Amino acid sequence: MAPAPPGAQHGAPATEAPTWSDAVTGTTATCLDVLARAAATTPTADPAAWHRLADEQRSSRQLLDHLALGLVGYTGLLIARPTDRYITLFASLDPRAPIDACLDGLRIAGTLLAATVRDAPPEVRAWHPWGHADRTGFAAMGVVELLMHTHDITRALGIAWTPPDDLAGPALTRLFPDAPPGAAPAATLLWCTGRGELPGRPRVSAGAWSWDGRVR
């Protein structure tokens, strides 16, 4: 079964929609916009805010590093196309850089992934521990990483933000084919990744979830 194209909400019929490259670009812009607004206010109000834990192991600042690593890593996998290993290129942000400069680094990483998704032939496959994937899979991985970790950071900084349904829906359909129907895409994606609750369903453990990147 082919994945729903970007723009189609989880459980809804697919309609004419932007490309997966556009989905990465749009998600990058949306997430960096809210993170930039957070960066503009939190240093004055609470200078230590970015260095407190935002998930079980990492601070908000460390999650920016994780995002850079992930986005460039997915780019590299689509380029190198290994069958049994991760790539040997690891991306990082300057540890001395202020938050707004780190966001520039993430914009570069998101742009690189979007361009590689756009240019990769549809038959390309590459290794990933959660399922060997094609360009749509790696695009969706980048979207999920951006949405979920932006959610982690904004929550840690005390900022109310929920991933937009139009961005969450296609990635949810592509990577979580067994996700329960009936709820909004963003709420379902948060539940699938151990970050939220759905009525009548047990909460997913934060460390016990994975997506399915295999081509369908």
Side-chain angles (χ1 to χ4, degrees):
M1 180 179 67
Q9 290 197 359
H10 180 61
T15 58
E16 185 177 351
T19 67
W20 278 102
S21 176
D22 292 335
V24 174
T25 299
T27 303
T28 300
T30 296
C31 291
L32 291 185
D33 179 67
V34 68
L35 292 175
R37 286 187 276 114
T41 57
T42 51
T44 300
D46 187 355
W50 285 83
H51 299 284
R52 287 196 288 267
L53 286 180
D55 66 10
E56 291 75 20
Q57 298 179 323
R58 296 163 295 199
S59 68
S60 294
R61 174 61 182 78
Q62 289 170 326
L63 285 177
L64 298 183
D65 285 310
H66 174 75
L67 278 171
L69 175 68
L71 295 173
V72 173
Y74 299 150
T75 302
L77 286 166
L78 275 175
I79 293 171
R81 305 167 194 175
T83 60
D84 60 354
R85 60 173 175 82
Y86 199 68
I87 58 171
T88 56
L89 172 67
F90 293 88
S92 63
L93 300 169
D94 184 344
R96 300 164 298 179
I99 298 300
D100 57 348
C102 291
L103 300 184
D104 282 343
L106 293 184
R107 191 178 306 279
I108 293 168
T111 300
L112 290 173
L113 177 58
T116 304
V117 167
R118 181 193 65 227
D119 295 340
E123 66 270 17
V124 163
R125 304 289 184 268
W127 176 91
H128 190 277
W130 290 352
H132 288 42
D134 59 359
R135 61 185 183 179
T136 71
F138 286 107
M141 293 177 205
V143 169
V144 169
E145 292 276 7
L146 283 161
L147 294 178
M148 294 302 94
H149 293 312
T150 298
H151 179 267
D152 294 337
I153 292 169
T154 54
R155 183 182 59 180
L157 296 177
I159 297 169
W161 183 80
T162 300
D165 284 327
D166 63 330
L167 298 176
L172 175 69
T173 299
R174 175 62 182 85
L175 295 180
F176 298 91
D178 297 325
T188 305
L189 185 59
L190 289 170
W191 178 83
C192 287
T193 58
R195 290 169 169 82
E197 298 182 356
L198 288 180
R201 296 187 178 274
R203 189 180 180 99
V204 176
S205 173
W209 64 271
S210 63
W211 58 56
D212 183 353
R214 293 175 297 174
V215 181
R216 288 176 290 279

